[in-house]
Amino acid sequence: MEFSNVGFQQNRRAFPGFPARSEKTRAMVAPRGTARFDLKVGDILSVQPDGVGQSVVLLVFGDDGRLRPDLLGTKSNESGSFSELDCAPLAGWVTANGGWMDVWTGTRIGLDEQVALKSSGNCTVWACRPAGVQEHVSGPSAGVVELAIVPGEPSGMPPLPPVLGDIRDEFTVRRGTADAYVATPGEYIQIIDIEGQQCSDFMALRLEALDAGVERTVDSTATRSMVGGAYPGPGLFDKFFDSEMKPMLQVIQDTCGRHDTFGLACTARGYEERGFPGHLNCSDNISVALEPFGVARRTTWPAINFFWNTWVDQNTHRLMTEESHSRPGDYVILKALDRLVCVSTACPDDIDPINGWNPTDVHVRIYRPEAPIRRAVAFRPKEDAPMSVSTESAFHPATSKLTSQFAPARDLWVPVTFPSVGTVGEYWACRERATLQDMSSLAKYDIVGPDAEQLLQKTLTRDVSRLSVWRGTYALMCDDTGSVVDDGTLFRLAPDLFRWCCGSEECTRVLEGIARSEGLQVRVRGLGGALPNLALQGPNSRKILGKVTFTQPTVPSLEDLKWFGVTVARIGDLDGIPFMLSRSGYTGELGYELFCSRSDAPALWDAIMEAGEEFGIAPMGSSALEILRIEAGLAAAGAEFAPGVDAFEAGLGFAVDLRKGEFRGRAALERNSGDIRKTLKGLKFDCNDVPTKGAHVLLGERPVGVITSAARSPKFGSTIAMARLAVENAENGTRLDVGLMDGRMKRLAVTVCDTPMYDPKRERARA
């Protein structure tokens, strides 16, 4: 008897008159009767019989609408027919909250004496007295059962994150302490920062080695060397290793993303030397916690320092620290790859910003391995926005058959490369034949209403009034200083209906804010994951679509689609998979984008791949796309445009129409257009070294620009880059240097050129 998360939550909102919580704190339940109780974290449900041989069945629902007997520390052990119950109140409650059921599944508790059950999370409990074999209305157990809520102590603590599986054990590590515990292969360890900004040191030792008298621990140096980074994250390089380079733990989920594997757990000496002798410290706490396992005491313990925000200063090369980025409820989930004894601390440091100067508790959950927990990282569209964790794209059933190499893009996992083709192979397939890529991480918004055009005129740099139905355009959204907030493609699907495809949720905040302030009749509707999309790119893309695309005579046909045209189509015939088709892309090649429903996504992928087989189609990932877009001179957020860089400096002046009426950022852009100090240019290198974003471009000893994007180009046989240069040094043919190794120790000779470097007139995309 389980009903879905989505159904429960949607229907709860759909029935505003339905009480959010019951006022009942005490009830007498007779045979065949029911009673509802709403418990908060820490509340105790007291169950008191008034006779012998009585029992009660408890149905425990979590806030997500699922059966959660674990919230009362029980397990489901019995099910039965609702004919045994006066079930109208329970059935009505379930129905009103979007669920359905025909049998009950709950926990039967025998009541020889009073029972007290403590809630570990917010839950709704239905206490039921079904008529069992030994429990008849005329028998000795026919009396009532009294149930009452004993309120827990108000803690003011934020709620813990939802349970993700079958919990074997959980406990709270109190501030300034450490707890040791055992994990077996396949079990998941969830370390939760309850209140936020709390460092939790972690260490694990192999039990098999301990039994042999050897302390084999997680080794931070070996781990950093193996993963090629300061900290492993879910994805390709996601493990912690011992000193023999054997994996011990796999990182499965991480909602914070800022941790440390450089430093030690805090030590007594560290506090003594700052004037705090006798201060609690994690190293001593770890030693005490591990003593029962025969682990020798240490003065200092190396550790994985979860939620500790550290970095190496690029100028002084010193280890720096600041307040943690973790928020209440942030967590890390590790999967044990061997029999381990682990220890977690709640760091007592109250004299540094490590814990925000306020040490708090840490909570640990250990999940059984039976229900695997998927890989995920946190996604927040804004720093203070609610967290969601990355999910698999709607195309994942198809792409996962071809690759296991995925990386997060906004809130989705998308393919990085396909090993059977490889990044360079994918690149050439796009340039010479055709490729298909999952681009579902693109954000999509519908702007609908009689004032839709007026709103877009006030927010975008293009003249939207000139955009016909079934046409699209590339446009920018700027702030008042002319800096680019985001770029995207705008399609007009009807006189009062536009679809904006972009990369950032900041766009919707701008649109909604202006609509409110201007009192416009318009609705901005985020499509979320409802419209996944593919990019079919390459010179053979039109031929592939020509095999399978069906359009009605009332909309543009495939042959009618010019650059940035859009239509609606189907696969095969009138009854085929429907999709929105636009002639657009991010590669500089002839290409199209296909937008469909989630349910049709895998079938659409398969249909295009099958149709493209004779034309040499290949799947493509994000690594090849990065090379292609740099060759094509296409801008990316955080690279070519960023806060403080106006549209002209970002090389996007072609998308600014100063002839139209007032729009956000117009005054600044109009002023800056006559006094451009920096401009975006291309650089061709004399070598294959690839500089990082932000590397200085030098004229002699003086910086005159910065690298915005760089890649090794298969087409040009050397490295190419886009760079923001001072206009005085931006003439084509100018010879400059790019500085590496502190900008001075290594110099790479470059020649300034125009962008795009590949197909300068964009003739291939327009073909």
Side-chain angles (χ1 to χ4, degrees), residues 435-462:
T435 55
L436 191 64
Q437 183 176 9
D438 182 356
M439 296 291 288
S440 300
S441 61
L442 195 67
K444 301 110 181 169
Y445 298 93
D446 284 349
I447 297 92
V448 187
D451 292 335
E453 179 184 298
Q454 185 179 350
L455 172 62
L456 291 167
Q457 282 286 71
K458 291 177 176 294
T459 52
L460 299 184
T461 57
R462 293 283 200 183

PDB file of all heavy atoms in Angstrom, residues 435-462:
ATOM      1  N   THR A 435      26.250  13.888 -35.813  1.00  0.00           N
ATOM      2  CA  THR A 435      26.299  13.409 -34.433  1.00  0.00           C
ATOM      3  C   THR A 435      24.978  13.690 -33.743  1.00  0.00           C
ATOM      4  O   THR A 435      24.239  14.596 -34.124  1.00  0.00           O
ATOM      5  CB  THR A 435      27.429  14.096 -33.631  1.00  0.00           C
ATOM      6  OG1 THR A 435      27.265  15.519 -33.715  1.00  0.00           O
ATOM      7  CG2 THR A 435      28.796  13.702 -34.156  1.00  0.00           C
ATOM      8  N   LEU A 436      24.719  12.917 -32.691  1.00  0.00           N
ATOM      9  CA  LEU A 436      23.516  13.111 -31.877  1.00  0.00           C
ATOM     10  C   LEU A 436      23.949  13.263 -30.430  1.00  0.00           C
ATOM     11  O   LEU A 436      24.714  12.436 -29.913  1.00  0.00           O
ATOM     12  CB  LEU A 436      22.569  11.913 -32.031  1.00  0.00           C
ATOM     13  CG  LEU A 436      21.160  12.086 -31.451  1.00  0.00           C
ATOM     14  CD1 LEU A 436      20.407  13.196 -32.179  1.00  0.00           C
ATOM     15  CD2 LEU A 436      20.374  10.781 -31.536  1.00  0.00           C
ATOM     16  N   GLN A 437      23.457  14.311 -29.770  1.00  0.00           N
ATOM     17  CA  GLN A 437      23.903  14.628 -28.418  1.00  0.00           C
ATOM     18  C   GLN A 437      22.716  14.969 -27.529  1.00  0.00           C
ATOM     19  O   GLN A 437      21.780  15.658 -27.946  1.00  0.00           O
ATOM     20  CB  GLN A 437      24.883  15.807 -28.428  1.00  0.00           C
ATOM     21  CG  GLN A 437      25.449  16.145 -27.054  1.00  0.00           C
ATOM     22  CD  GLN A 437      26.492  17.246 -27.117  1.00  0.00           C
ATOM     23  OE1 GLN A 437      26.679  17.868 -28.146  1.00  0.00           O
ATOM     24  NE2 GLN A 437      27.172  17.488 -26.017  1.00  0.00           N
ATOM     25  N   ASP A 438      22.772  14.493 -26.289  1.00  0.00           N
ATOM     26  CA  ASP A 438      21.775  14.829 -25.277  1.00  0.00           C
ATOM     27  C   ASP A 438      22.078  16.223 -24.746  1.00  0.00           C
ATOM     28  O   ASP A 438      23.099  16.440 -24.094  1.00  0.00           O
ATOM     29  CB  ASP A 438      21.821  13.788 -24.153  1.00  0.00           C
ATOM     30  CG  ASP A 438      20.778  14.030 -23.072  1.00  0.00           C
ATOM     31  OD1 ASP A 438      20.062  15.038 -23.151  1.00  0.00           O
ATOM     32  OD2 ASP A 438      20.684  13.199 -22.148  1.00  0.00           O
ATOM     33  N   MET A 439      21.181  17.181 -24.988  1.00  0.00           N
ATOM     34  CA  MET A 439      21.345  18.561 -24.532  1.00  0.00           C
ATOM     35  C   MET A 439      20.235  18.962 -23.570  1.00  0.00           C
ATOM     36  O   MET A 439      19.872  20.136 -23.462  1.00  0.00           O
ATOM     37  CB  MET A 439      21.367  19.501 -25.741  1.00  0.00           C
ATOM     38  CG  MET A 439      22.526  19.286 -26.684  1.00  0.00           C
ATOM     39  SD  MET A 439      24.113  19.772 -25.972  1.00  0.00           S
ATOM     40  CE  MET A 439      23.956  21.541 -25.992  1.00  0.00           C
ATOM     41  N   SER A 440      19.710  17.995 -22.839  1.00  0.00           N
ATOM     42  CA  SER A 440      18.528  18.236 -22.007  1.00  0.00           C
ATOM     43  C   SER A 440      18.780  19.180 -20.847  1.00  0.00           C
ATOM     44  O   SER A 440      17.827  19.661 -20.229  1.00  0.00           O
ATOM     45  CB  SER A 440      17.992  16.905 -21.472  1.00  0.00           C
ATOM     46  OG  SER A 440      17.637  16.042 -22.524  1.00  0.00           O
ATOM     47  N   SER A 441      20.038  19.452 -20.524  1.00  0.00           N
ATOM     48  CA  SER A 441      20.307  20.365 -19.414  1.00  0.00           C
ATOM     49  C   SER A 441      19.982  21.812 -19.758  1.00  0.00           C
ATOM     50  O   SER A 441      19.999  22.683 -18.882  1.00  0.00           O
ATOM     51  CB  SER A 441      21.775  20.259 -18.989  1.00  0.00           C
ATOM     52  OG  SER A 441      22.628  20.609 -20.069  1.00  0.00           O
ATOM     53  N   LEU A 442      19.684  22.078 -21.003  1.00  0.00           N
ATOM     54  CA  LEU A 442      19.242  23.410 -21.412  1.00  0.00           C
ATOM     55  C   LEU A 442      17.967  23.777 -20.647  1.00  0.00           C
ATOM     56  O   LEU A 442      17.045  22.983 -20.528  1.00  0.00           O
ATOM     57  CB  LEU A 442      18.966  23.406 -22.910  1.00  0.00           C
ATOM     58  CG  LEU A 442      18.831  24.740 -23.642  1.00  0.00           C
ATOM     59  CD1 LEU A 442      20.160  25.478 -23.667  1.00  0.00           C
ATOM     60  CD2 LEU A 442      18.343  24.485 -25.070  1.00  0.00           C
ATOM     61  N   ALA A 443      17.916  24.997 -20.115  1.00  0.00           N
ATOM     62  CA  ALA A 443      16.708  25.469 -19.424  1.00  0.00           C
ATOM     63  C   ALA A 443      15.714  26.008 -20.450  1.00  0.00           C
ATOM     64  O   ALA A 443      16.110  26.655 -21.427  1.00  0.00           O
ATOM     65  CB  ALA A 443      17.065  26.555 -18.416  1.00  0.00           C
ATOM     66  N   LYS A 444      14.429  25.703 -20.232  1.00  0.00           N
ATOM     67  CA  LYS A 444      13.394  26.141 -21.175  1.00  0.00           C
ATOM     68  C   LYS A 444      12.263  26.828 -20.428  1.00  0.00           C
ATOM     69  O   LYS A 444      11.809  26.344 -19.390  1.00  0.00           O
ATOM     70  CB  LYS A 444      12.824  24.961 -21.969  1.00  0.00           C
ATOM     71  CG  LYS A 444      13.842  24.198 -22.791  1.00  0.00           C
ATOM     72  CD  LYS A 444      14.078  22.837 -22.209  1.00  0.00           C
ATOM     73  CE  LYS A 444      15.114  22.065 -22.994  1.00  0.00           C
ATOM     74  NZ  LYS A 444      15.530  20.841 -22.283  1.00  0.00           N
ATOM     75  N   TYR A 445      11.792  27.929 -20.988  1.00  0.00           N
ATOM     76  CA  TYR A 445      10.703  28.694 -20.390  1.00  0.00           C
ATOM     77  C   TYR A 445       9.727  29.108 -21.483  1.00  0.00           C
ATOM     78  O   TYR A 445      10.125  29.523 -22.570  1.00  0.00           O
ATOM     79  CB  TYR A 445      11.233  29.949 -19.687  1.00  0.00           C
ATOM     80  CG  TYR A 445      12.157  29.641 -18.543  1.00  0.00           C
ATOM     81  CD1 TYR A 445      13.533  29.591 -18.744  1.00  0.00           C
ATOM     82  CD2 TYR A 445      11.655  29.367 -17.274  1.00  0.00           C
ATOM     83  CE1 TYR A 445      14.384  29.285 -17.697  1.00  0.00           C
ATOM     84  CE2 TYR A 445      12.508  29.058 -16.224  1.00  0.00           C
ATOM     85  CZ  TYR A 445      13.869  29.022 -16.445  1.00  0.00           C
ATOM     86  OH  TYR A 445      14.712  28.705 -15.413  1.00  0.00           O
ATOM     87  N   ASP A 446       8.445  28.983 -21.185  1.00  0.00           N
ATOM     88  CA  ASP A 446       7.406  29.507 -22.060  1.00  0.00           C
ATOM     89  C   ASP A 446       6.938  30.849 -21.512  1.00  0.00           C
ATOM     90  O   ASP A 446       6.631  30.964 -20.307  1.00  0.00           O
ATOM     91  CB  ASP A 446       6.227  28.538 -22.148  1.00  0.00           C
ATOM     92  CG  ASP A 446       6.532  27.348 -23.046  1.00  0.00           C
ATOM     93  OD1 ASP A 446       7.559  27.373 -23.749  1.00  0.00           O
ATOM     94  OD2 ASP A 446       5.736  26.385 -23.045  1.00  0.00           O
ATOM     95  N   ILE A 447       6.896  31.855 -22.371  1.00  0.00           N
ATOM     96  CA  ILE A 447       6.412  33.184 -22.000  1.00  0.00           C
ATOM     97  C   ILE A 447       5.103  33.376 -22.759  1.00  0.00           C
ATOM     98  O   ILE A 447       5.094  33.437 -23.999  1.00  0.00           O
ATOM     99  CB  ILE A 447       7.435  34.279 -22.355  1.00  0.00           C
ATOM    100  CG1 ILE A 447       8.736  34.068 -21.549  1.00  0.00           C
ATOM    101  CG2 ILE A 447       6.876  35.653 -22.049  1.00  0.00           C
ATOM    102  CD1 ILE A 447       9.776  33.252 -22.228  1.00  0.00           C
ATOM    103  N   VAL A 448       3.999  33.424 -22.011  1.00  0.00           N
ATOM    104  CA  VAL A 448       2.666  33.335 -22.595  1.00  0.00           C
ATOM    105  C   VAL A 448       1.807  34.508 -22.123  1.00  0.00           C
ATOM    106  O   VAL A 448       1.829  34.868 -20.948  1.00  0.00           O
ATOM    107  CB  VAL A 448       1.977  32.011 -22.184  1.00  0.00           C
ATOM    108  CG1 VAL A 448       0.658  31.839 -22.931  1.00  0.00           C
ATOM    109  CG2 VAL A 448       2.891  30.826 -22.437  1.00  0.00           C
ATOM    110  N   GLY A 449       1.020  35.081 -23.027  1.00  0.00           N
ATOM    111  CA  GLY A 449       0.058  36.104 -22.642  1.00  0.00           C
ATOM    112  C   GLY A 449       0.070  37.281 -23.595  1.00  0.00           C
ATOM    113  O   GLY A 449       0.976  37.442 -24.427  1.00  0.00           O
ATOM    114  N   PRO A 450      -0.919  38.136 -23.471  1.00  0.00           N
ATOM    115  CA  PRO A 450      -1.029  39.272 -24.400  1.00  0.00           C
ATOM    116  C   PRO A 450       0.140  40.240 -24.307  1.00  0.00           C
ATOM    117  O   PRO A 450       0.390  40.987 -25.263  1.00  0.00           O
ATOM    118  CB  PRO A 450      -2.347  39.943 -23.983  1.00  0.00           C
ATOM    119  CG  PRO A 450      -2.645  39.441 -22.606  1.00  0.00           C
ATOM    120  CD  PRO A 450      -2.057  38.074 -22.527  1.00  0.00           C
ATOM    121  N   ASP A 451       0.853  40.267 -23.167  1.00  0.00           N
ATOM    122  CA  ASP A 451       1.998  41.177 -23.029  1.00  0.00           C
ATOM    123  C   ASP A 451       3.331  40.440 -23.142  1.00  0.00           C
ATOM    124  O   ASP A 451       4.374  40.966 -22.728  1.00  0.00           O
ATOM    125  CB  ASP A 451       1.932  41.903 -21.678  1.00  0.00           C
ATOM    126  CG  ASP A 451       0.767  42.871 -21.598  1.00  0.00           C
ATOM    127  OD1 ASP A 451       0.314  43.337 -22.664  1.00  0.00           O
ATOM    128  OD2 ASP A 451       0.299  43.139 -20.474  1.00  0.00           O
ATOM    129  N   ALA A 452       3.317  39.226 -23.700  1.00  0.00           N
ATOM    130  CA  ALA A 452       4.544  38.440 -23.802  1.00  0.00           C
ATOM    131  C   ALA A 452       5.596  39.162 -24.645  1.00  0.00           C
ATOM    132  O   ALA A 452       6.769  39.254 -24.252  1.00  0.00           O
ATOM    133  CB  ALA A 452       4.240  37.058 -24.388  1.00  0.00           C
ATOM    134  N   GLU A 453       5.186  39.678 -25.792  1.00  0.00           N
ATOM    135  CA  GLU A 453       6.149  40.385 -26.648  1.00  0.00           C
ATOM    136  C   GLU A 453       6.698  41.611 -25.932  1.00  0.00           C
ATOM    137  O   GLU A 453       7.901  41.896 -25.980  1.00  0.00           O
ATOM    138  CB  GLU A 453       5.479  40.790 -27.966  1.00  0.00           C
ATOM    139  CG  GLU A 453       6.411  41.549 -28.898  1.00  0.00           C
ATOM    140  CD  GLU A 453       5.724  42.041 -30.147  1.00  0.00           C
ATOM    141  OE1 GLU A 453       5.245  41.183 -30.928  1.00  0.00           O
ATOM    142  OE2 GLU A 453       5.655  43.276 -30.355  1.00  0.00           O
ATOM    143  N   GLN A 454       5.828  42.348 -25.241  1.00  0.00           N
ATOM    144  CA  GLN A 454       6.257  43.558 -24.545  1.00  0.00           C
ATOM    145  C   GLN A 454       7.290  43.224 -23.465  1.00  0.00           C
ATOM    146  O   GLN A 454       8.286  43.938 -23.305  1.00  0.00           O
ATOM    147  CB  GLN A 454       5.043  44.248 -23.926  1.00  0.00           C
ATOM    148  CG  GLN A 454       5.359  45.586 -23.268  1.00  0.00           C
ATOM    149  CD  GLN A 454       4.118  46.246 -22.683  1.00  0.00           C
ATOM    150  OE1 GLN A 454       2.996  45.804 -22.929  1.00  0.00           O
ATOM    151  NE2 GLN A 454       4.319  47.299 -21.907  1.00  0.00           N
ATOM    152  N   LEU A 455       7.067  42.133 -22.737  1.00  0.00           N
ATOM    153  CA  LEU A 455       8.024  41.734 -21.693  1.00  0.00           C
ATOM    154  C   LEU A 455       9.377  41.390 -22.310  1.00  0.00           C
ATOM    155  O   LEU A 455      10.428  41.827 -21.806  1.00  0.00           O
ATOM    156  CB  LEU A 455       7.475  40.535 -20.917  1.00  0.00           C
ATOM    157  CG  LEU A 455       8.447  39.896 -19.914  1.00  0.00           C
ATOM    158  CD1 LEU A 455       8.837  40.889 -18.815  1.00  0.00           C
ATOM    159  CD2 LEU A 455       7.828  38.640 -19.294  1.00  0.00           C
ATOM    160  N   LEU A 456       9.371  40.647 -23.392  1.00  0.00           N
ATOM    161  CA  LEU A 456      10.629  40.240 -24.013  1.00  0.00           C
ATOM    162  C   LEU A 456      11.339  41.424 -24.653  1.00  0.00           C
ATOM    163  O   LEU A 456      12.583  41.473 -24.672  1.00  0.00           O
ATOM    164  CB  LEU A 456      10.357  39.145 -25.041  1.00  0.00           C
ATOM    165  CG  LEU A 456       9.911  37.811 -24.421  1.00  0.00           C
ATOM    166  CD1 LEU A 456       9.346  36.878 -25.480  1.00  0.00           C
ATOM    167  CD2 LEU A 456      11.073  37.140 -23.698  1.00  0.00           C
ATOM    168  N   GLN A 457      10.607  42.388 -25.142  1.00  0.00           N
ATOM    169  CA  GLN A 457      11.227  43.605 -25.664  1.00  0.00           C
ATOM    170  C   GLN A 457      11.979  44.340 -24.563  1.00  0.00           C
ATOM    171  O   GLN A 457      13.022  44.950 -24.810  1.00  0.00           O
ATOM    172  CB  GLN A 457      10.167  44.534 -26.270  1.00  0.00           C
ATOM    173  CG  GLN A 457       9.679  44.138 -27.646  1.00  0.00           C
ATOM    174  CD  GLN A 457      10.694  44.427 -28.738  1.00  0.00           C
ATOM    175  OE1 GLN A 457      11.724  43.750 -28.821  1.00  0.00           O
ATOM    176  NE2 GLN A 457      10.411  45.410 -29.577  1.00  0.00           N
ATOM    177  N   LYS A 458      11.462  44.297 -23.351  1.00  0.00           N
ATOM    178  CA  LYS A 458      12.078  45.016 -22.234  1.00  0.00           C
ATOM    179  C   LYS A 458      13.269  44.273 -21.637  1.00  0.00           C
ATOM    180  O   LYS A 458      14.051  44.859 -20.891  1.00  0.00           O
ATOM    181  CB  LYS A 458      11.042  45.263 -21.135  1.00  0.00           C
ATOM    182  CG  LYS A 458       9.954  46.268 -21.516  1.00  0.00           C
ATOM    183  CD  LYS A 458       8.932  46.401 -20.408  1.00  0.00           C
ATOM    184  CE  LYS A 458       7.897  47.476 -20.747  1.00  0.00           C
ATOM    185  NZ  LYS A 458       8.488  48.841 -20.793  1.00  0.00           N
ATOM    186  N   THR A 459      13.403  42.982 -21.964  1.00  0.00           N
ATOM    187  CA  THR A 459      14.445  42.189 -21.312  1.00  0.00           C
ATOM    188  C   THR A 459      15.530  41.690 -22.255  1.00  0.00           C
ATOM    189  O   THR A 459      16.658  41.441 -21.813  1.00  0.00           O
ATOM    190  CB  THR A 459      13.823  40.969 -20.602  1.00  0.00           C
ATOM    191  OG1 THR A 459      12.994  40.255 -21.522  1.00  0.00           O
ATOM    192  CG2 THR A 459      13.009  41.404 -19.405  1.00  0.00           C
ATOM    193  N   LEU A 460      15.234  41.532 -23.535  1.00  0.00           N
ATOM    194  CA  LEU A 460      16.205  40.973 -24.475  1.00  0.00           C
ATOM    195  C   LEU A 460      16.788  42.060 -25.373  1.00  0.00           C
ATOM    196  O   LEU A 460      16.176  43.100 -25.609  1.00  0.00           O
ATOM    197  CB  LEU A 460      15.554  39.889 -25.338  1.00  0.00           C
ATOM    198  CG  LEU A 460      15.000  38.673 -24.596  1.00  0.00           C
ATOM    199  CD1 LEU A 460      14.483  37.642 -25.589  1.00  0.00           C
ATOM    200  CD2 LEU A 460      16.051  38.051 -23.683  1.00  0.00           C
ATOM    201  N   THR A 461      17.974  41.769 -25.901  1.00  0.00           N
ATOM    202  CA  THR A 461      18.695  42.756 -26.708  1.00  0.00           C
ATOM    203  C   THR A 461      18.247  42.773 -28.163  1.00  0.00           C
ATOM    204  O   THR A 461      18.621  43.669 -28.912  1.00  0.00           O
ATOM    205  CB  THR A 461      20.198  42.450 -26.662  1.00  0.00           C
ATOM    206  OG1 THR A 461      20.416  41.098 -27.119  1.00  0.00           O
ATOM    207  CG2 THR A 461      20.738  42.600 -25.250  1.00  0.00           C
ATOM    208  N   ARG A 462      17.457  41.789 -28.594  1.00  0.00           N
ATOM    209  CA  ARG A 462      16.959  41.744 -29.965  1.00  0.00           C
ATOM    210  C   ARG A 462      15.593  42.437 -30.065  1.00  0.00           C
ATOM    211  O   ARG A 462      14.870  42.555 -29.077  1.00  0.00           O
ATOM    212  CB  ARG A 462      16.809  40.299 -30.423  1.00  0.00           C
ATOM    213  CG  ARG A 462      18.114  39.535 -30.560  1.00  0.00           C
ATOM    214  CD  ARG A 462      18.858  39.914 -31.825  1.00  0.00           C
ATOM    215  NE  ARG A 462      19.832  38.879 -32.171  1.00  0.00           N
ATOM    216  CZ  ARG A 462      20.668  38.948 -33.196  1.00  0.00           C
ATOM    217  NH1 ARG A 462      20.660  39.995 -33.988  1.00  0.00           N
ATOM    218  NH2 ARG A 462      21.529  37.973 -33.441  1.00  0.00           N
TER     219      ARG A 462
END
